Amino acid sequence: MKFINKNAVLSLCLFLLTTGFVLGQEIIQDTVKTKKTVVDTRRQKIDGVIATVGDFNILDSDIDKTFLELSSQGNSVKDITRCQMLGKLLEDKLYAHQAIQDSIIVTDDEVKSKMEE
């Protein structure tokens, strides 16, 4: 161990480490040729407002979602048309809108005074 030069050992280790690191990396050539993609410029409706009742909007996807909910609950949806389902959704939103319109705000003091009478 006396005869080993520390600088030579360190330089040899450094050389082996760097060459192993450089030679260990693999270069992969890009062999896949890119195709030209054709962009479809036609408009496509994703989702839209079918109807509005007061502050409530009924989306096209709400009809599909309602069909899915009914079928997941075990109900038969084969005799229900989209128009009938839209009518049911409109009716539900109309009741909810009318309930908001008919709401009467009563304060706690008014309730307490009626209770004392």
Side-chain angles (χ1 to χ4, degrees):
M1 292 297 248
K2 286 183 177 181
F3 303 108
I4 298 175
N5 188 355
K6 289 183 181 181
N7 290 336
V9 171
L10 286 175
S11 61
L12 180 64
C13 288
L14 184 61
F15 175 74
L16 291 176
L17 182 66
T18 56
T19 56
F21 180 72
V22 171
L23 295 177
Q25 293 188 8
E26 181 180 1
I27 299 173
I28 300 173
Q29 298 294 330
D30 187 17
T31 58
V32 178
K33 295 181 181 180
T34 58
K35 295 180 182 178
K36 289 186 177 180
T37 57
V38 178
V39 177
D40 189 11
T41 58
R42 292 180 291 162
R43 290 182 167 212
Q44 183 178 6
K45 179 180 169 187
I46 295 173
D47 200 6
V49 176
I50 298 294
T52 302
V53 178
D55 294 332
F56 298 103
N57 291 328
I58 299 174
L59 302 176
D60 188 30
S61 62
D62 290 340
I63 297 172
D64 298 329
K65 186 170 48 171
T66 307
F67 274 119
L68 185 63
E69 287 174 2
L70 284 175
S71 63
S72 68
Q73 293 172 359
N75 298 325
S76 174
V77 293
K78 67 179 182 178
D79 296 332
I80 302 172
T81 63
R82 287 181 62 84
C83 184
Q84 291 171 334
M85 187 61 71
L86 176 61
K88 177 66 175 140
L89 290 172
L90 283 169
E91 184 180 352
D92 293 344
K93 298 297 181 181
L94 182 63
Y95 287 141
H97 177 69
Q98 193 62 41
I100 291 171
Q101 297 296 320
D102 292 342
S103 295
I104 300 172
I105 299 173
V106 180
T107 63
D108 290 338
D109 294 335
E110 291 175 336
V111 172
K112 288 178 185 177
S113 67
K114 291 293 181 181
M115 296 268 301
E116 290 175 1
E117 290 179 12

